Amino acid sequence: MEEFTMEKKQIDWANIGFNYIQTDKRYVSNYKDGAWDEGGLTEDANIVLNECAGVLQYAQTVFEGLKAYTTEDGHIVTFRPDLNGERMENSAKYLEMPVFPKERFLDAVVKTVEANAAYVPPYGSGATLYIRPYMFGSNPVIGVKPADEFQFRVFTTPVGPYFKGGAKPITIKVSDFDRAAPRGTGNIKAGLNYAMSLHAIVTAHEEGYAENMYLDAATRTKVEETGGANFIFITKDNKVVTPKSDSILPSITRRSLLYVAKEYLGLETEEREVYLDEVKDFAECGLCGTAAVVSPVGKIVDHGREICLPSGMDEMGPVTKKLYDTLTGIQMGKIEAPEGWIKVIK
């Protein structure tokens, strides 16, 4: 493997937060007359669209999120990008968008990260290079129908830890809002799902909570997910449990944590419906996703009733910490990864 030689940008990696920082290059490909063009890199970070573009009128857009980071031995890698490509294919199909093939998705990710290698934070900094592939309807659409032309893009931005202050347990609330309908779009990564969560998250923040716990819209008795992460629970006998539902996003981090729990830590795992009533009986709770990997939850407030996890408000619960340490160890090259999990870019 070729050693990484591009000189790093002079950035205060430890203090950049989770904000957009423009990097040098991004990837663009356009779909017109039933086919994608060959695509390529550009320095232009701006997008020029007609005022009636499909994405602006009817929110026809899907996206992905993944990270590139520097491993202990100095290589730049990404984590299971093939699964992001597959998920984006499924999201596109559901929103009547042309599929950008998984192989081309991977190639676009690699090209974009290579072109911005100077922005990949150094090993041990706690920061990563966030990668945002996305696709949107680009031609004028005034009747309610799918666009005919689309643009697929990938940009990158260096980011610090998603939750400021690291892995300190957070307090969340049971939301009065519904995240997704039973046969809606909750299982795809569409911008519209996140738009509807904005009012709920701003409301939660105003009330002093870090996140929302959304319940199933049909019965409001089952735990689904938060606005941007899946739940993971640990029982008092160390079983790892995650909610099963057709209206939550199939998180790549969650799937990876379940594998790690079973194959690396020898823990029993279960993916099943989780009722709000039983949350009080769990020993630990965490939110898992690309941005945070795992963020521990110390307290859940259900309309004034406090559910305090035995793991407490001071630090991550012991099983959650093992899961976090093992998965991040795999990502950073300290622990041997299952075959195909790590894509070496440089």
Side-chain angles (χ1 to χ4, degrees):
M1 285 182 286
E2 178 193 339
E3 279 301 321
F4 164 63
T5 51
M6 189 183 286
E7 193 177 333
K8 294 287 185 200
K9 296 286 178 182
Q10 292 302 303
I11 293 173
D12 181 6
W13 303 109
N15 294 304
I16 51 176
F18 202 86
N19 301 302
Y20 172 74
I21 296 169
Q22 188 173 311
T23 56
D24 295 340
K25 300 275 180 73
R26 63 275 312 134
Y27 182 94
V28 185
S29 180
N30 290 293
Y31 180 91
K32 192 174 180 177
D33 301 327
W36 289 102
D37 65 16
E38 65 181 71
L41 294 168
T42 176
E43 290 183 5
D44 190 356
N46 296 312
I47 298 168
V48 177
L49 288 172
N50 183 274
E51 63 189 352
C52 194
V55 62
L56 301 178
Q57 304 309 318
Y58 304 121
Q60 198 179 12
T61 177
V62 297
F63 71 98
E64 274 300 323
L66 62 160
K67 288 174 170 180
Y69 35 85
T70 309
T71 56
E72 204 168 19
D73 61 0
H75 293 295
I76 293 174
V77 304
T78 63
F79 181 70
R80 308 190 79 178
D82 53 316
L83 296 186
N84 292 94
E86 281 171 22
R87 191 166 65 181
M88 193 166 195
E89 286 186 354
N90 293 332
S91 295
K93 285 174 190 168
Y94 201 94
L95 282 197
E96 293 298 329
M97 303 169 84
V99 162
F100 194 77
K102 182 175 80 170
E103 297 70 32
R104 288 201 58 188
F105 175 98
L106 288 171
D107 179 60
V109 165
V110 168
K111 282 189 168 75
T112 311
V113 174
E114 279 178 341
N116 296 296
Y119 292 92
V120 180
Y123 174 78
S125 63
T128 51
L129 186 73
Y130 192 78
I131 307 161
R132 173 53 59 87
Y134 60 111
M135 189 201 302
F136 54 89
S138 54
N139 67 296
V141 180
I142 196 66
V144 180
K145 61 178 183 180
D148 302 311
E149 296 173 14
F150 295 85
Q151 191 168 100
F152 169 86
R153 297 177 74 100
V154 184
F155 71 79
T156 58
T157 180
V159 296
Y162 188 70
F163 291 107
K164 291 177 183 67
K168 208 89 172 131
I170 58 173
T171 301
I172 66 173
K173 65 170 285 195
V174 175
S175 183
D176 289 322
F177 299 99
D178 293 328
R179 182 189 155 272
R183 285 174 287 277
T185 56
N187 63 332
I188 65 166
K189 209 160 171 66
L192 52 91
N193 292 340
Y194 295 78
M196 64 67 51
S197 75
L198 296 176
H199 178 59
I201 192 63
V202 168
T203 303
H205 287 165
E206 283 171 353
E207 293 171 358
Y209 302 102
E211 256 295 358
N212 285 296
M213 172 184 275
Y214 289 108
L215 305 178
D216 73 296
T219 71
R220 296 195 56 79
T221 60
K222 291 176 274 196
V223 175
E224 293 245 302
E225 60 171 292
T226 70
N230 281 187
F231 278 102
I232 192 157
F233 297 104
I234 314 296
T235 66
K236 284 174 179 162
D237 57 357
N238 291 349
K239 184 192 283 184
V240 181
V241 177
T242 62
K244 186 180 177 70
S245 164
D246 291 337
S247 53
I248 64 175
L249 195 72
S251 161
I252 293 160
T253 306
R254 186 198 72 218
R255 282 179 272 173
S256 304
L257 285 168
L258 287 175
Y259 183 92
V260 161
K262 199 172 172 185
E263 304 299 333
Y264 281 68
L265 301 176
L267 300 172
E268 203 180 328
T269 64
E270 194 175 20
E271 200 176 346
R272 62 167 173 83
E273 291 184 334
V274 173
Y275 286 84
L276 178 60
D277 285 352
E278 62 178 308
V279 171
K280 66 183 186 313
D281 301 323
F282 290 121
E284 301 173 36
C285 171
L287 309 181
C288 61
T290 299
V293 182
V294 183
S295 181
V297 175
K299 189 192 292 181
I300 300 158
V301 180
D302 176 15
H303 300 87
R305 179 173 68 104
E306 292 192 351
I307 304 167
C308 298
L309 279 302
S311 50
M313 293 300 295
D314 294 328
E315 57 188 15
M316 213 179 244
V319 177
T320 308
K321 182 154 176 42
K322 270 187 211 163
L323 287 168
Y324 176 84
D325 288 346
T326 309
L327 187 60
T328 53
I330 287 168
Q331 290 176 334
M332 293 296 173
K334 286 195 260 187
I335 297 170
E336 191 172 345
E339 194 174 343
W341 277 28
I342 304 295
K343 168 93 177 153
V344 178
I345 291 179
K346 222 169 164 61

